[in-house]
Amino acid sequence: MNYEAINQAANNYLPQMTKFLRDLIAIPSESAEEELVIKRIEEEMKKLDFDKVEIDPMGNVLGYMGHGETLIAYDAHIDNVGLGELCNWNFDPYEGYETEEEIGGRGASDQLGGIVSSVYGAKIMKDLGLLNDKFTVLVTGTVQEEDCDGLCWQYIINEDKVKPEFVVITEPTDNKIYRGHRGRMEIRVEVKGISCHGSAPERGDNAIYKMADIVQEVKELNDKLHYDPFLGKGTLAVSQSFYNSPSRCAVADMAAISIDRRLTDGETYLSALDEIKALPSVQKYNAEVTMYTYERPSWTGLVYPTECYFPTWVIPEDHPACTAMVEAHTKLYGAPIVDKWTFSTNGVSIMGRYGIPCIGFGPGREKEAHAPNEKTWKQDLVRCAAVYAAMPNLYCK
């Protein structure tokens, strides 16, 4: 391959990539509300002469380049989190901004830049004659990841009957290549009490007081969780609290918390539930410990229920997908660092549930994700598009 030509093509497409990204940023696209951004991606794929473009019943957009035997996918979720407190933003999150080096706006790093680079990476393959009968490229813009990571790929694999040989996850990687991350699950702990008038609290049984004991033990459990040398330690955090009470003048008769549990290698959802169930206060107060289920309709109205369990995954550093990505990066820009994500991605389903290998490389930085004043870097868009264009031939050689 002519790596200089690939790099030059990616640089030549920077103005188009910049416009595409700014168009996507300008369209609000929180989970289950992605219709307009999906249709904008469909428009770009068709304009760039993808061989086939379709939107599936869940609302994911799938664009194909080539007609070879091996299917290689590039995945980007295109939903965003909300804006949070607007007072924390220095600019309009949807109007965004652009400098010589940066593009700002909600979704710039997490992770609209990924769909931009992968769409143009596929275009570069076509322009430079890099497509052949060995592989087909699939670029997916997937929905509802921020709400329920991996649900979109459960649908793509189970219902669309699409099963790539491996998938490039285009979430931000800080200019590194990532080969895994911790999994996660969403746990609810609920305890009951008995209400009474607040003027005589001794007549009742305050569920909030019970939950206070449980929360302290949950906090202490975080320090005792399993450690993996590559992925690091499992963690947990109380992320939400709820209560029920007849009024502000009554003792609460129900209290509950949500726990964000991050699972490192060697932990399972069963072991994580058992750890909570074994806490002394959970047993003392007969608290109910369960895993959440996600049942929110997609923007098309489709409901595809799943347990809120998102498995851990890792591939070896010598896996062919990893070595091909490293080689592509090395030939174009020098040897990269190979590492892992802190957060989770659609790989929880692709690799975690279905065993389809994933490798991560995407524009932007992890620390920009979900933060105010989010931004990405133009050279990241160029670098990723070029590496994406070079990788398939190295994998299939």
Side-chain angles (χ1 to χ4, degrees):
M1 282 185 292
N2 185 336
Y3 293 99
E4 180 55 39
I6 294 171
N7 182 55
Q8 188 60 54
N11 275 286
N12 290 345
Y13 274 126
L14 180 57
Q16 291 95 316
M17 287 195 283
T18 297
K19 181 183 185 306
F20 185 28
L21 178 54
R22 295 208 66 189
D23 284 355
L24 297 179
I25 287 170
I27 305 170
S29 56
E30 292 185 30
S31 294
E33 300 172 3
E34 307 97 336
E35 178 177 6
L36 295 180
V37 80
I38 284 288
K39 290 182 176 176
R40 178 63 185 87
I41 294 164
E42 177 191 36
E43 174 191 342
E44 194 80 4
M45 288 176 167
K46 289 181 175 178
K47 183 180 79 173
L48 296 178
D49 200 25
F50 272 63
D51 294 319
K52 183 172 72 170
V53 182
E54 57 187 15
I55 296 173
D56 73 8
M58 187 177 201
N60 305 296
V61 61
L62 291 79
Y64 294 85
M65 280 285 203
H67 304 281
E69 182 179 352
T70 298
L71 182 63
I72 298 172
Y74 294 78
D75 177 65
H77 77 78
I78 51 73
D79 58 321
N80 299 327
V81 294
L83 303 179
E85 292 292 329
L86 286 174
C87 63
N88 291 326
W89 288 81
N90 299 327
F91 57 89
D92 185 303
Y94 294 129
E95 180 181 342
Y97 73 87
E98 177 185 348
T99 69
E100 259 188 50
E101 297 179 347
E102 299 173 357
I103 299 171
R106 175 53 88 213
S109 270
D110 186 24
Q111 60 127 150
L112 296 171
I115 191 69
V116 170
S117 289
S118 51
V119 164
Y120 276 86
K123 173 61 172 170
I124 292 167
M125 293 181 217
K126 193 162 199 173
D127 288 349
L128 299 185
L130 300 176
L131 299 169
N132 57 50
D133 61 2
K134 292 183 179 179
F135 63 89
T136 297
V137 169
L138 167 63
V139 177
T140 61
T142 46
V143 298
Q144 291 180 280
E145 188 272 354
E146 295 292 4
D147 258 13
C148 188
D149 30 333
L151 178 65
C152 49
W153 272 92
Q154 289 187 54
Y155 190 88
I156 289 169
I157 293 167
N158 293 335
E159 310 304 329
D160 294 339
K161 306 300 181 186
V162 173
K163 190 173 182 180
E165 184 157 309
F166 74 90
V167 178
V168 177
I169 304 290
T170 66
E171 293 260 20
T173 59
D174 297 29
N175 287 318
K176 302 172 186 176
I177 289 169
Y178 288 172
R179 61 182 183 91
H181 58 66
R182 294 178 302 169
R184 69 181 188 90
M185 62 185 298
E186 297 173 3
I187 300 172
R188 178 181 172 93
V189 183
E190 181 176 318
V191 65
K192 299 293 188 183
I194 299 173
S195 63
C196 68
H197 200 284
S199 64
E202 68 278 1
R203 297 173 184 165
D205 184 17
N206 197 318
I208 292 176
Y209 291 166
K210 294 179 178 180
M211 185 55 70
D213 292 343
I214 292 172
V215 166
Q216 184 58 40
E217 291 177 1
V218 167
K219 180 181 177 182
E220 292 168 358
L221 177 61
N222 180 66
D223 296 330
K224 305 171 185 176
L225 298 177
H226 179 66
Y227 176 82
D228 176 77
F230 177 61
L231 293 182
K233 194 176 81 66
T235 60
L236 56 76
V238 175
S239 55
Q240 294 177 319
S241 63
F242 315 92
Y243 75 94
N244 187 46
S245 175
S247 80
R248 289 199 298 270
C249 299
V251 165
D253 57 7
M254 186 280 293
I257 56 171
S258 298
I259 297 173
D260 178 333
R261 177 67 159 90
R262 302 288 158 155
L263 301 163
T264 196
D265 210 15
E267 296 182 310
T268 69
Y269 77 90
L270 291 173
S271 67
L273 288 172
D274 285 344
E275 286 167 340
I276 302 296
K277 291 175 181 178
L279 294 175
S281 292
V282 168
Q283 295 189 347
K284 176 181 177 181
Y285 300 130
N286 196 29
E288 183 180 17
V289 180
T290 57
M291 183 161 52
Y292 281 96
T293 298
Y294 184 82
E295 299 179 291
R296 187 180 181 187
S298 75
W299 69 263
T300 65
L302 183 141
V303 177
Y304 202 67
T306 190
E307 291 180 323
C308 292
Y309 167 54
F310 311 93
T312 307
W313 67 273
V314 182
I315 66 168
E317 198 161 354
D318 61 357
H319 188 281
C322 188
T323 57
M325 183 70 84
V326 168
E327 184 178 358
H329 193 288
T330 301
K331 293 284 180 63
L332 282 157
Y333 304 112
I337 295 171
V338 178
D339 206 345
K340 61 190 177 297
W341 278 288
T342 301
F343 54 53
S344 60
T345 73
N346 280 333
V348 296
S349 284
I350 303 166
M351 177 65 182
R353 287 181 182 269
Y354 300 108
I356 300 170
C358 295
I359 188 68
F361 184 60
R365 309 287 188 272
E366 278 195 79
K367 71 178 183 180
E368 298 294 325
H370 303 188
N373 305 307
E374 184 180 353
K375 61 184 177 296
T376 195
W377 288 262
K378 291 180 176 180
Q379 275 309 117
D380 284 12
L381 300 176
V382 169
R383 183 186 298 254
C384 289
V387 171
Y388 297 162
M391 183 189 183
N393 275 287
L394 295 172
Y395 180 84
C396 294
K397 65 183 178 181

